[in-house]
Amino acid sequence: MSPLGGAWRWLTTGANWTGGEGVVHRLAEHLYFSGVSLAVALVVALPPAVLLGHHGRGGALAVNVSNVGRAVPTFAVLTLLLLLIGSDSDWPVIVALVLFAVPPLVTNAYVGMREADPDVVEAARGMGMTGRQLLLGVELPLAFPLIWTGVRSAAVQVIATATLAAMAGFGGLGRIITAGFNRQVNAQVVAGAVLVAALALLVEGLFLAVQHALDPIRRRSAPAAPARTPSAPAATGAARP
């Protein structure tokens, strides 16, 4: 049987979805690690990046520092955190994933704020808008597509990278892959990889749908439905002289 055929057979076997080692439990662990890490990264990265982009100061340094996380292997960071914190809590995995999610969030938020249409910003400033009004009412809506692209990129990367948690003894869908390697069951390895890829694609599509629904510029520019006017009644006979 081919690897894909074996993976399909493994995925369609109900026993592989239940229990402590089943897909449902491992998926819940994977979503927990990914969701908590992304939420922490959003709180840590977005506010300072938006403010730096608004003021135009220190952004280059912040982007360069945050991009250090791209150069450091996530598994190496996870191993170091395990030595420093220990494996008694989930923080080694969460901190490693947060460090991995921060660079796209900081870069896209800062660049999005700096690339807001300067003519629109100057016009709003000329209308007497305060700095707070300018930030919330003009710059953030203009920067939203690029900021959300960074959020979407970070979410997908975290989903994919959370698989490495299994190599350090933690849960998640990666445990399905490592268990397949340990048992030398190629079908299980391929099935685990398919599950991670499918989850990443699902998250990508979900975040695209949210962006389409929440984009303030698109919502403002959407044409309003034309009002209906009552039609004139048709003539039923010739006019009398």
Side-chain angles (χ1 to χ4, degrees):
M1 182 179 295
S2 67
L4 288 179
W8 174 254
R9 182 176 180 179
W10 191 94
L11 289 171
T12 54
T13 300
N16 294 326
W17 288 78
T18 58
E21 299 292 330
V23 173
V24 174
H25 181 69
R26 294 307 183 192
L27 176 61
E29 293 176 332
H30 204 96
L31 291 175
Y32 162 74
F33 283 128
S34 303
V36 172
S37 302
L38 182 61
V40 173
L42 289 173
V43 173
V44 170
L46 282 189
V50 167
L51 290 177
L52 289 173
H54 172 66
H55 294 292
R57 300 172 184 172
L61 177 61
V63 170
N64 290 331
V65 171
S66 68
N67 282 336
V68 173
R70 299 179 186 269
V72 180
T74 306
F75 186 67
V77 175
L78 178 57
T79 303
L80 178 61
L81 291 171
L82 278 173
L83 295 176
L84 295 176
I85 302 176
S87 58
D88 296 333
S89 69
D90 298 330
W91 282 110
V93 176
I94 293 173
V95 172
L97 293 177
V98 167
L99 294 176
F100 190 70
V102 162
L105 294 175
V106 172
T107 301
N108 282 47
Y110 177 79
V111 173
M113 294 295 293
R114 297 308 301 160
E115 291 187 352
D117 192 333
D119 294 333
V120 177
V121 174
E122 286 301 321
R125 187 176 286 114
M127 294 172 59
M129 280 190 173
T130 64
R132 180 185 179 87
Q133 291 172 332
L134 191 65
L135 171 64
L136 298 179
V138 177
E139 291 178 332
L140 272 179
L142 290 174
F144 175 81
L146 194 55
I147 293 175
W148 193 257
T149 298
V151 175
R152 191 177 78 243
S153 175
V156 174
Q157 290 179 19
V158 165
I159 288 289
T161 310
T163 309
L164 296 177
M167 299 180 67
F170 292 90
L173 292 176
R175 289 294 291 269
I176 297 175
I177 299 175
T178 56
F181 276 120
N182 294 334
R183 299 168 185 168
Q184 297 184 347
V185 181
N186 292 334
Q188 184 173 346
V189 175
V190 176
V194 168
L195 287 170
V196 175
L199 180 60
L201 290 174
L202 179 62
V203 169
E204 173 82 8
L206 177 61
F207 274 68
L208 278 173
V210 171
Q211 178 176 348
H212 183 75
L214 297 183
D215 189 346
I217 301 300
R218 188 193 66 83
R219 294 172 64 184
R220 290 178 186 176
S221 60
R228 294 185 178 181
T229 56
S231 59
T236 56
R240 295 184 179 179

